[in-house]
Amino acid sequence: MSEKKVSRSSFWVKLLRTVAYLAIICGCLMSLIIGCVMIFGADADHRTTGILVGIAIIVIGIVCNLLAASGIMVFLDMASDLRIIRGHVEADK
């Protein structure tokens, strides 16, 4: 029964890790697309403002996305470590 729990938790960790990687990719692409729309869609009168806002959207979006995904990864690593510790404790009994 213990092995069934390990395989289920391992499945969820792998699934969430995959979702985090997909979130990184989608979030970075979304930031890039929105930033480029701001840069290339700015009026001629406000071209400099559009460029600065577009670059800020790209940079801030990518940084926030990477920070959020790294937070998920930290919790997933903690879950893996906890599973290993639980295995050692059960083996000692």
Side-chain angles (χ1 to χ4, degrees), residues 38-86:
M38 289 297 296
I39 290 171
F40 296 118
D43 290 339
D45 297 336
H46 305 292
R47 176 67 71 191
T48 306
T49 305
I51 291 172
L52 291 176
V53 169
I55 291 172
I57 288 172
I58 292 170
V59 171
I60 292 171
I62 289 174
V63 168
C64 289
N65 187 22
L66 291 175
L67 287 174
S70 66
I72 293 171
M73 295 295 184
V74 166
F75 283 111
L76 292 175
D77 287 340
M78 287 178 7
S80 296
D81 292 343
L82 189 59
R83 188 181 69 222
I84 292 170
I85 291 169
R86 184 178 63 204

Side-chain angles (χ1 to χ4, degrees), residues 23-36:
I24 291 171
I25 293 168
C26 293
C28 289
L29 284 176
M30 190 62 71
S31 296
L32 188 64
I33 290 169
I34 293 172
C36 287

